[in-house]
Short mmCIF file of all heavy atoms in Angstrom, two decimals:
data_model
loop_
_atom_site.label_atom_id
_atom_site.label_comp_id
_atom_site.label_asym_id
_atom_site.label_seq_id
_atom_site.Cartn_x
_atom_site.Cartn_y
_atom_site.Cartn_z
N PRO A 17 -2.78 21.11 -14.52
CA PRO A 17 -3.45 20.02 -15.25
C PRO A 17 -4.27 20.50 -16.40
O PRO A 17 -5.26 21.23 -16.19
CB PRO A 17 -4.32 19.37 -14.17
CG PRO A 17 -4.43 20.44 -13.11
CD PRO A 17 -3.16 21.21 -13.15
N GLY A 18 -3.87 20.16 -17.58
CA GLY A 18 -4.68 20.53 -18.80
C GLY A 18 -4.70 22.02 -19.01
O GLY A 18 -5.59 22.54 -19.73
N ASN A 19 -3.76 22.78 -18.46
CA ASN A 19 -3.82 24.24 -18.57
C ASN A 19 -5.15 24.82 -18.13
O ASN A 19 -5.69 25.76 -18.69
CB ASN A 19 -3.51 24.74 -20.00
CG ASN A 19 -2.04 24.49 -20.36
OD1 ASN A 19 -1.17 24.57 -19.48
ND2 ASN A 19 -1.79 24.22 -21.61
N ALA A 20 -5.79 24.14 -17.17
CA ALA A 20 -7.18 24.47 -16.75
C ALA A 20 -7.11 24.75 -15.24
O ALA A 20 -6.14 24.46 -14.52
CB ALA A 20 -8.08 23.32 -17.05
N PRO A 21 -8.16 25.37 -14.68
CA PRO A 21 -8.20 25.63 -13.28
C PRO A 21 -8.18 24.38 -12.45
O PRO A 21 -8.50 23.28 -12.89
CB PRO A 21 -9.56 26.37 -13.08
CG PRO A 21 -9.88 26.87 -14.43
CD PRO A 21 -9.33 25.88 -15.42
N LEU A 22 -7.73 24.52 -11.25
CA LEU A 22 -7.73 23.37 -10.26
C LEU A 22 -9.03 23.29 -9.54
O LEU A 22 -9.45 24.21 -8.85
CB LEU A 22 -6.57 23.59 -9.32
CG LEU A 22 -5.18 23.43 -9.95
CD1 LEU A 22 -4.10 24.07 -9.14
CD2 LEU A 22 -4.81 22.01 -10.18
N LYS A 23 -9.65 22.14 -9.66
CA LYS A 23 -11.05 21.94 -9.21
C LYS A 23 -11.02 21.10 -7.88
O LYS A 23 -10.36 20.08 -7.84
CB LYS A 23 -11.84 21.24 -10.28
CG LYS A 23 -13.36 21.09 -10.00
CD LYS A 23 -14.01 20.51 -11.22
CE LYS A 23 -15.50 20.44 -11.01
NZ LYS A 23 -16.16 19.85 -12.22
N PHE A 24 -11.74 21.64 -6.90
CA PHE A 24 -11.81 21.00 -5.58
C PHE A 24 -13.22 20.56 -5.32
O PHE A 24 -14.12 21.38 -5.01
CB PHE A 24 -11.27 21.94 -4.50
CG PHE A 24 -9.87 22.28 -4.73
CD1 PHE A 24 -9.51 23.34 -5.51
CD2 PHE A 24 -8.84 21.56 -4.16
CE1 PHE A 24 -8.18 23.69 -5.75
CE2 PHE A 24 -7.49 21.85 -4.39
CZ PHE A 24 -7.18 22.94 -5.15
N ASN A 25 -13.51 19.27 -5.50
CA ASN A 25 -14.86 18.71 -5.40
C ASN A 25 -15.19 18.41 -3.99
O ASN A 25 -14.95 17.35 -3.43
CB ASN A 25 -15.01 17.48 -6.26
CG ASN A 25 -14.88 17.78 -7.76
OD1 ASN A 25 -15.71 18.54 -8.27
ND2 ASN A 25 -13.85 17.25 -8.35
N GLU A 26 -15.85 19.39 -3.33
CA GLU A 26 -16.33 19.22 -1.95
C GLU A 26 -17.60 20.07 -1.83
O GLU A 26 -17.55 21.34 -1.92
CB GLU A 26 -15.27 19.64 -0.94
CG GLU A 26 -15.76 19.59 0.50
CD GLU A 26 -15.88 18.21 1.01
OE1 GLU A 26 -15.24 17.28 0.49
OE2 GLU A 26 -16.66 17.99 1.96
N GLN A 27 -18.73 19.43 -1.66
CA GLN A 27 -19.96 20.17 -1.55
C GLN A 27 -19.96 20.98 -0.22
O GLN A 27 -19.56 20.44 0.83
CB GLN A 27 -21.18 19.24 -1.53
CG GLN A 27 -22.49 19.96 -1.73
CD GLN A 27 -23.59 19.01 -2.19
OE1 GLN A 27 -23.48 17.82 -2.07
NE2 GLN A 27 -24.67 19.54 -2.71
N PHE A 28 -20.35 22.22 -0.30
CA PHE A 28 -20.32 23.10 0.91
C PHE A 28 -21.47 24.08 0.87
O PHE A 28 -22.06 24.26 -0.19
CB PHE A 28 -18.92 23.79 1.03
CG PHE A 28 -18.66 24.79 -0.01
CD1 PHE A 28 -18.86 26.11 0.21
CD2 PHE A 28 -18.16 24.38 -1.26
CE1 PHE A 28 -18.58 27.07 -0.78
CE2 PHE A 28 -17.88 25.29 -2.23
CZ PHE A 28 -18.11 26.64 -2.01
N GLU A 29 -21.67 24.77 1.96
CA GLU A 29 -22.73 25.75 2.07
C GLU A 29 -22.19 27.11 2.37
O GLU A 29 -21.15 27.24 2.96
CB GLU A 29 -23.71 25.39 3.24
CG GLU A 29 -24.45 24.11 3.08
CD GLU A 29 -25.21 23.83 4.37
OE1 GLU A 29 -26.14 24.71 4.67
OE2 GLU A 29 -25.01 22.83 5.05
N ILE A 30 -22.90 28.16 1.90
CA ILE A 30 -22.70 29.51 2.42
C ILE A 30 -23.90 29.76 3.26
O ILE A 30 -25.07 29.78 2.70
CB ILE A 30 -22.50 30.49 1.24
CG1 ILE A 30 -21.22 30.16 0.50
CG2 ILE A 30 -22.47 31.93 1.84
CD1 ILE A 30 -20.99 31.06 -0.68
N ARG A 31 -23.70 30.00 4.55
CA ARG A 31 -24.80 30.13 5.48
C ARG A 31 -25.05 31.59 5.89
O ARG A 31 -24.07 32.30 5.95
CB ARG A 31 -24.56 29.28 6.73
CG ARG A 31 -24.38 27.77 6.42
CD ARG A 31 -23.99 26.99 7.66
NE ARG A 31 -23.92 25.58 7.37
CZ ARG A 31 -23.41 24.69 8.27
NH1 ARG A 31 -23.09 25.10 9.51
NH2 ARG A 31 -23.38 23.39 7.91
N GLU A 32 -26.30 31.88 6.15
CA GLU A 32 -26.67 33.22 6.54
C GLU A 32 -25.97 33.66 7.84
O GLU A 32 -25.94 32.84 8.77
CB GLU A 32 -28.15 33.40 6.66
CG GLU A 32 -28.59 34.80 6.95
CD GLU A 32 -30.13 34.95 7.00
OE1 GLU A 32 -30.84 33.89 6.83
OE2 GLU A 32 -30.59 36.11 7.22
N ASN A 33 -25.38 34.83 7.87
CA ASN A 33 -24.72 35.37 9.04
C ASN A 33 -23.64 34.43 9.60
O ASN A 33 -23.49 34.32 10.79
CB ASN A 33 -25.74 35.70 10.14
CG ASN A 33 -26.75 36.76 9.67
OD1 ASN A 33 -26.39 37.69 8.96
ND2 ASN A 33 -28.00 36.60 10.11
N ALA A 34 -22.94 33.74 8.70
CA ALA A 34 -21.92 32.81 9.13
C ALA A 34 -20.70 32.95 8.20
O ALA A 34 -20.82 33.45 7.06
CB ALA A 34 -22.42 31.41 9.15
N ARG A 35 -19.57 32.48 8.62
CA ARG A 35 -18.34 32.46 7.82
C ARG A 35 -17.96 31.07 7.45
O ARG A 35 -17.72 30.24 8.32
CB ARG A 35 -17.20 33.16 8.61
CG ARG A 35 -15.90 33.35 7.82
CD ARG A 35 -14.94 34.07 8.74
NE ARG A 35 -13.72 34.49 8.03
CZ ARG A 35 -12.55 33.82 8.07
NH1 ARG A 35 -12.50 32.67 8.78
NH2 ARG A 35 -11.46 34.24 7.41
N THR A 36 -17.96 30.79 6.15
CA THR A 36 -17.48 29.54 5.65
C THR A 36 -16.06 29.59 5.19
O THR A 36 -15.70 30.47 4.42
CB THR A 36 -18.38 29.07 4.49
OG1 THR A 36 -19.72 28.96 4.87
CG2 THR A 36 -17.90 27.68 3.95
N THR A 37 -15.18 28.77 5.73
CA THR A 37 -13.80 28.74 5.31
C THR A 37 -13.50 27.50 4.58
O THR A 37 -13.66 26.40 5.03
CB THR A 37 -12.84 28.79 6.56
OG1 THR A 37 -13.13 29.98 7.36
CG2 THR A 37 -11.38 28.80 6.14
N PHE A 38 -13.15 27.70 3.28
CA PHE A 38 -12.89 26.59 2.36
C PHE A 38 -11.37 26.53 2.22
O PHE A 38 -10.74 27.50 1.66
CB PHE A 38 -13.62 26.78 1.03
CG PHE A 38 -13.48 25.64 0.12
CD1 PHE A 38 -14.59 24.84 -0.06
CD2 PHE A 38 -12.36 25.29 -0.58
CE1 PHE A 38 -14.55 23.76 -0.93
CE2 PHE A 38 -12.27 24.23 -1.43
CZ PHE A 38 -13.41 23.40 -1.61
N THR A 39 -10.74 25.45 2.58
CA THR A 39 -9.30 25.27 2.40
C THR A 39 -9.02 24.31 1.26
O THR A 39 -9.41 23.11 1.32
CB THR A 39 -8.63 24.74 3.72
OG1 THR A 39 -8.93 25.69 4.80
CG2 THR A 39 -7.13 24.64 3.52
N ALA A 40 -8.39 24.84 0.23
CA ALA A 40 -8.05 24.01 -0.95
C ALA A 40 -6.57 23.49 -0.82
O ALA A 40 -5.72 24.30 -0.49
CB ALA A 40 -8.16 24.89 -2.25
N ASP A 41 -6.37 22.26 -1.14
CA ASP A 41 -5.10 21.57 -0.85
C ASP A 41 -4.44 21.21 -2.21
O ASP A 41 -5.07 20.57 -3.08
CB ASP A 41 -5.31 20.34 -0.05
CG ASP A 41 -4.07 19.90 0.67
OD1 ASP A 41 -2.94 20.31 0.23
OD2 ASP A 41 -4.18 19.14 1.61
N PHE A 42 -3.18 21.62 -2.41
CA PHE A 42 -2.39 21.35 -3.62
C PHE A 42 -1.32 20.28 -3.25
O PHE A 42 -0.89 20.11 -2.14
CB PHE A 42 -1.63 22.58 -4.09
CG PHE A 42 -2.49 23.73 -4.54
CD1 PHE A 42 -2.75 24.80 -3.74
CD2 PHE A 42 -3.00 23.74 -5.83
CE1 PHE A 42 -3.49 25.86 -4.17
CE2 PHE A 42 -3.76 24.78 -6.26
CZ PHE A 42 -4.01 25.87 -5.43
N ALA A 43 -0.80 19.69 -4.35
CA ALA A 43 0.38 18.83 -4.24
C ALA A 43 1.17 18.80 -5.50
O ALA A 43 0.55 18.54 -6.56
CB ALA A 43 -0.01 17.44 -3.85
N PRO A 44 2.44 19.13 -5.51
CA PRO A 44 3.28 18.96 -6.71
C PRO A 44 3.75 17.53 -6.85
O PRO A 44 4.23 16.93 -5.83
CB PRO A 44 4.48 19.94 -6.51
CG PRO A 44 4.62 19.97 -5.03
CD PRO A 44 3.28 19.75 -4.43
N VAL A 45 3.58 16.91 -7.99
CA VAL A 45 3.94 15.48 -8.18
C VAL A 45 4.95 15.33 -9.32
O VAL A 45 4.73 15.89 -10.40
CB VAL A 45 2.72 14.65 -8.52
CG1 VAL A 45 3.04 13.20 -8.71
CG2 VAL A 45 1.64 14.76 -7.34
N LEU A 46 6.10 14.71 -9.07
CA LEU A 46 7.09 14.50 -10.07
C LEU A 46 6.65 13.39 -11.06
O LEU A 46 6.21 12.31 -10.62
CB LEU A 46 8.44 14.10 -9.45
CG LEU A 46 9.57 13.80 -10.39
CD1 LEU A 46 9.93 15.07 -11.15
CD2 LEU A 46 10.80 13.26 -9.61
N ARG A 47 6.71 13.71 -12.36
CA ARG A 47 6.27 12.77 -13.37
C ARG A 47 7.47 12.11 -14.00
O ARG A 47 8.65 12.53 -13.82
CB ARG A 47 5.36 13.45 -14.35
CG ARG A 47 4.15 14.09 -13.76
CD ARG A 47 3.20 14.64 -14.82
NE ARG A 47 3.80 15.78 -15.43
CZ ARG A 47 3.28 16.41 -16.49
NH1 ARG A 47 2.09 15.97 -16.98
NH2 ARG A 47 3.82 17.49 -17.03
N GLY A 48 7.21 11.16 -14.89
CA GLY A 48 8.27 10.38 -15.46
C GLY A 48 9.16 11.18 -16.48
O GLY A 48 10.27 10.78 -16.80
N ASN A 49 8.67 12.28 -16.95
CA ASN A 49 9.45 13.10 -17.86
C ASN A 49 10.26 14.18 -17.21
O ASN A 49 10.83 15.06 -17.83
CB ASN A 49 8.50 13.80 -18.90
CG ASN A 49 7.47 14.70 -18.20
OD1 ASN A 49 7.44 14.85 -17.02
ND2 ASN A 49 6.59 15.28 -19.02
N GLY A 50 10.34 14.11 -15.82
CA GLY A 50 11.18 15.02 -15.09
C GLY A 50 10.47 16.36 -14.80
O GLY A 50 11.08 17.19 -14.16
N ARG A 51 9.20 16.50 -15.22
CA ARG A 51 8.44 17.71 -14.92
C ARG A 51 7.54 17.41 -13.76
O ARG A 51 7.28 16.26 -13.40
CB ARG A 51 7.60 18.12 -16.19
CG ARG A 51 8.47 18.42 -17.40
CD ARG A 51 7.56 18.63 -18.61
NE ARG A 51 6.83 19.88 -18.48
CZ ARG A 51 7.26 21.04 -18.97
NH1 ARG A 51 8.45 21.13 -19.54
NH2 ARG A 51 6.57 22.12 -18.82
N TYR A 52 7.05 18.47 -13.15
CA TYR A 52 6.09 18.37 -12.02
C TYR A 52 4.73 18.76 -12.50
O TYR A 52 4.53 19.63 -13.33
CB TYR A 52 6.58 19.21 -10.88
CG TYR A 52 7.87 18.76 -10.21
CD1 TYR A 52 9.09 19.17 -10.80
CD2 TYR A 52 7.86 18.00 -9.05
CE1 TYR A 52 10.30 18.79 -10.21
CE2 TYR A 52 9.06 17.64 -8.47
CZ TYR A 52 10.27 17.98 -9.06
OH TYR A 52 11.45 17.61 -8.46
N LEU A 53 3.73 18.14 -11.84
CA LEU A 53 2.32 18.42 -12.08
C LEU A 53 1.70 18.90 -10.77
O LEU A 53 1.80 18.24 -9.78
CB LEU A 53 1.56 17.28 -12.64
CG LEU A 53 0.08 17.47 -13.00
CD1 LEU A 53 -0.07 18.49 -14.15
CD2 LEU A 53 -0.57 16.15 -13.32
N LEU A 54 1.05 20.05 -10.83
CA LEU A 54 0.35 20.57 -9.66
C LEU A 54 -1.05 20.05 -9.64
O LEU A 54 -1.81 20.27 -10.59
CB LEU A 54 0.30 22.14 -9.66
CG LEU A 54 -0.14 22.79 -8.40
CD1 LEU A 54 0.83 22.56 -7.26
CD2 LEU A 54 -0.30 24.31 -8.60
N ARG A 55 -1.44 19.36 -8.59
CA ARG A 55 -2.71 18.70 -8.55
C ARG A 55 -3.51 19.01 -7.23
O ARG A 55 -2.88 19.22 -6.21
CB ARG A 55 -2.63 17.18 -8.63
CG ARG A 55 -2.15 16.69 -10.00
CD ARG A 55 -2.17 15.18 -10.08
NE ARG A 55 -2.00 14.71 -11.47
CZ ARG A 55 -1.90 13.45 -11.79
NH1 ARG A 55 -1.98 12.55 -10.84
NH2 ARG A 55 -1.80 13.12 -13.09
N PRO A 56 -4.84 19.00 -7.30
CA PRO A 56 -5.64 19.10 -6.11
C PRO A 56 -5.61 17.83 -5.27
O PRO A 56 -5.47 16.74 -5.88
CB PRO A 56 -7.02 19.44 -6.64
CG PRO A 56 -7.07 18.76 -8.01
CD PRO A 56 -5.65 18.88 -8.54
N VAL A 57 -5.79 17.93 -4.01
CA VAL A 57 -5.78 16.77 -3.11
C VAL A 57 -7.11 16.74 -2.37
O VAL A 57 -7.29 17.45 -1.39
CB VAL A 57 -4.63 16.81 -2.08
CG1 VAL A 57 -4.63 15.55 -1.23
CG2 VAL A 57 -3.26 16.89 -2.82
N PRO A 58 -8.06 15.92 -2.82
CA PRO A 58 -9.40 15.87 -2.19
C PRO A 58 -9.36 15.55 -0.68
O PRO A 58 -10.09 16.11 0.08
CB PRO A 58 -10.14 14.81 -3.01
CG PRO A 58 -9.46 14.77 -4.32
CD PRO A 58 -8.02 15.03 -4.01
N SER A 59 -8.49 14.67 -0.31
CA SER A 59 -8.37 14.25 1.10
C SER A 59 -7.96 15.40 2.02
O SER A 59 -8.09 15.33 3.21
CB SER A 59 -7.48 13.07 1.28
OG SER A 59 -6.17 13.38 0.95
N GLY A 60 -7.37 16.44 1.44
CA GLY A 60 -6.92 17.54 2.24
C GLY A 60 -7.87 18.72 2.30
O GLY A 60 -7.63 19.72 2.98
N ILE A 61 -9.00 18.64 1.58
CA ILE A 61 -9.97 19.75 1.58
C ILE A 61 -10.66 19.81 2.97
O ILE A 61 -11.01 18.82 3.49
CB ILE A 61 -11.06 19.53 0.50
CG1 ILE A 61 -10.43 19.50 -0.89
CG2 ILE A 61 -12.12 20.63 0.57
CD1 ILE A 61 -11.43 19.05 -1.97
#
């Protein structure tokens, strides 16, 4: 998207003496021009 990084908007914490696991979700979507666009999926974060 826009030759830019893929942004995953989910507020999260890094906690002391703890492990935070952030899972980022992608989806390739076929567009009308026959090309695919790689997009983030907020509902899968």
Side-chain angles (χ1 to χ4, degrees):
N19 290 330
L22 291 161
K23 188 175 184 180
F24 298 87
N25 292 298
E26 176 72 23
Q27 193 162 17
F28 67 99
E29 299 175 58
I30 296 176
R31 300 175 178 176
E32 185 175 3
N33 299 323
R35 184 176 188 263
T36 301
T37 302
F38 189 105
T39 302
D41 200 341
F42 295 100
V45 179
L46 179 63
R47 301 186 291 173
N49 61 0
R51 301 173 69 91
Y52 292 83
L53 180 66
L54 190 66
R55 288 186 170 178
V57 181
S59 62
I61 298 171

